[in-house]
């Protein structure tokens, strides 16, 4: 995703601009020697996602300032910080050691790892939900057209649009590419849009992403690998890397979440989760995010799809319901997308308010359900400690960005309103629908 902004923001003295990109070890890669910000100033650091044959290995952070981003500097940091992981992956793919992998006749021609992997035969429906962001959507659609998979269709759900701009973008692309379908969902809300996409999906796998991401060309290959890790996998989540880290707000969000930097595949089931048994499966944020997840279509329909009473927390809820239904969740970093974060404090404060609201609404659903209330309430002490740890991490990231207190207060305001939002929405559901999406 481009670092370009139509209205560059002025950096404060305490802010540090970070260039975000990737580095593929098995191909010749032209690095921007002195990457510059939207304001034309040099970046202070570069953070590169290191990949081997498409496989994410880890992140390398290279100090810049006025220094060029040279191959030698990149390799020095990779060997220092990622040596064990790189050596293991090179050996697994039958490639030579690090230094020789970037020299000689094989540089630029090797295809190993995910790039050389067999393409799964399952048909895939990619659903992209959008609302009044036609130009951002256009960038996203340009990336999905390049996906490496034969049996794929794209369902673009236009959620309660204010005008026809989104439809015009889709129709423009659909004239050239018949894989794209336009669907309109009149009821506002991401949950409603995702369920509309589910209703129109014809693929064996349904994959969701957002209109503010750029998908990697190997995204579907990564998702399908996740489904093949175990026979009981019903849901796959993936790495959501930061498309830009130029501004403090972007850096805060990147530090706040785990799914923006974790490069180790995992499989979670009813007994094993990212947070340990004390809070599992209710610490659902560790499984991934709705900006990058996929399901076996038949199973998602069987468990009722997404719960409309949890707008914004439907991804947390569906993770728990998948596990409670006896299936597992696979986190697959090779299923990679690049996300464009909020770029200013006001937008970020609003987002943190929504995050707080969504989290407490999600917890209210499970704390008030006959099936799960006792299980949730007996874990209250551990939950309080977990939230405290999250608060400390958020405070640390916010302090580095210079606005910790404002973001924490915004999140707490959201926490106070979440249960009421969920209760009202559940009251509006008919009894049959409440039973369909019950824990």
């Amino acid at each position: 995703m481009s670092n370009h902004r139509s209205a560059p923001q002025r950096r404060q003295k305490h802010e540090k601009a970070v260039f975000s990109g990737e580095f593929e070890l098995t191909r010749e890669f032209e690095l921007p020697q002195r990457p510059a910000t939207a304001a034309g100033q040099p970046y202070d650091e570069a953070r590169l996602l290191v990949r081997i044959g498409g496989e994410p290995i880890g992140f390398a952070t290279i100090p810049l300032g006025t220094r060029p981003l040279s191959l030698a500097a990149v390799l020095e940091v990779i060997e220092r910080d990622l040596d064990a992981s790189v050596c293991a992956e090179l050996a697994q793919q039958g490639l030579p050691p690090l230094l020789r992998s970037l020299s000689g006749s094989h540089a630029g021609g090797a295809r190993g790892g995910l790039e050389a992997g067999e393409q799964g035969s399952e048909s895939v429906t990619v659903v992209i939900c959008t609302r009044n962001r036609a130009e951002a959507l256009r960038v996203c659609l340009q990336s999905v057209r390049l996906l490496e998979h034969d049996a794929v269709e794209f369902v673009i759900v236009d959620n309660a649009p204010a005008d026809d701009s989104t439809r015009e973008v889709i129709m423009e692309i659909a004239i050239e590419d018949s894989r794209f379908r336009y669907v309109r969902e009149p009821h506002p809300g991401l949950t409603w849009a995702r369920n509309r996409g589910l209703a129109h999906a014809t693929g064996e796998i349904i994959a969701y992403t957002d209109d503010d991401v750029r998908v990697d060309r190997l995204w579907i290959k990564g998702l399908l690998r996740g489904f093949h890790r175990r026979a009981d996998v019903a849901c796959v989540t993936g790495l959501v890397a930061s498309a830009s880290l130029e501004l403090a707000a972007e850096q805060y969000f990147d530090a706040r979440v785990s799914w923006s930097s974790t490069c180790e595949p995992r499989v979670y089931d009813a007994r094993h989760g990212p947070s340990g048994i004390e809070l599992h499966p209710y610490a659902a944020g560790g499984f991934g995010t709705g900006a990058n997840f996929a399901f076996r279509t038949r199973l998602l329909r069987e468990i009722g799809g997404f719960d409309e009473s949890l707008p914004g927390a439907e991804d947390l809820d569906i993770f728990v319901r998948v596990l409670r239904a006896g299936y597992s969740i696979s986190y697959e970093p090779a299923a990679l997308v690049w996300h464009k974060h909020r770029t200013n404090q006001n937008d970020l404060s609003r987002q943190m308010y929504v995050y707080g609201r969504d989290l407490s609404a999600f917890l209210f659903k499970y704390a008030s359900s006959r099936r799960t209330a006792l299980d949730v309430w007996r874990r209250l002490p551990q939950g309080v400690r977990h939230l405290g740890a999250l608060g400390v991490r958020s405070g640390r990231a916010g302090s580095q960005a210079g606005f910790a207190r404002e973001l924490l207060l915004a999140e707490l305001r959201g926490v106070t309103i979440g249960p009421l939002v969920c209760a009202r929405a559940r009251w509006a559901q008919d009894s049959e629908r409440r039973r369909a999406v019950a824990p």
Side-chain angles (χ1 to χ4, degrees), residues 359-381:
L359 175 62
S360 61
F362 159 74
L363 293 174
F364 175 79
K365 172 180 176 175
Y366 285 85
S368 60
S369 168
R370 284 185 313 167
R371 299 177 184 176
T372 55
L374 182 60
D375 195 27
V376 170
W377 283 106
R378 72 179 178 84
R379 304 180 196 218
L380 182 61

Side-chain angles (χ1 to χ4, degrees), residues 279-292:
L279 293 175
H280 186 61
Y282 304 110
F287 298 124
T289 177
N292 183 9

